[in-house]
Amino acid sequence: MAQKAVKTLAAANTRRLNQTLVATLVIHLFFWLFRALLFRSSFTRKSLLLYLVLASPQLLINFLFEKQSRPVNAADGSIKRAGEDLEAKGLTEYLWDITYWTYGNLLLVTFLGDWAWIFWGMIPLYSVWLAWTTYTGMRGGGYQDAAGVPQPEAGTSKRQAKLEKRGGQKVQYR
């Protein structure tokens, strides 16, 4: 049972990276086969340039995930390095969003044509919105709970707020 967490992380990373690799190959090959066989008129230099510019970030992200998160095994079969956690919050989560959005956008472009690449522009808009909400959340003094209800300052609990409302805490001496 030694290194159970490392083994679990390595197995989860391997499974997720294999699924991502298969999905990437299937979607990109489907895009190229469908465009080459059915929409030959739209198979132009402009189409190739748009594909290279807008699909390359997703391909680079997949390469980054492979490089950082693919487990490395030692010669004796033990796990040398489990890799970075692919379920991590923050930047990793955002990179997965880009990957999935590019998959969906490739399917849209496959069926609707090159003009559908405009939907890929929602990724930078989402980044700006995320940065703005983070900035405004840090700037404001209080915070809101999940329902959007403003909460008191983080330093005061409900009990402290009640005590302050009643005039402070009374000290009793015996």
Side-chain angles (χ1 to χ4, degrees), residues 60-138:
L60 290 173
I61 288 169
N62 280 5
F63 177 73
L64 176 77
F65 283 157
E66 281 287 331
K67 197 77 173 151
Q68 290 182 343
S69 300
R70 180 69 68 179
V72 177
N73 294 327
D76 62 350
S78 64
I79 297 172
K80 190 175 184 180
R81 185 178 68 87
E84 298 295 322
D85 185 12
L86 291 172
E87 298 293 326
K89 300 290 183 198
L91 182 61
T92 305
E93 206 172 33
Y94 179 67
L95 294 176
W96 281 115
D97 290 344
I98 292 173
T99 299
Y100 296 139
W101 189 258
T102 304
Y103 287 164
N105 204 37
L106 273 172
L107 294 174
L108 283 174
V109 171
T110 300
F111 295 114
L112 302 177
D114 284 339
W115 69 270
W117 281 114
I118 198 163
F119 292 116
W120 201 88
M122 289 184 182
I123 294 172
L125 292 175
Y126 175 67
S127 301
V128 168
W129 176 79
L130 205 59
W132 176 255
T133 55
T134 302
Y135 169 72
T136 56
M138 288 182 351

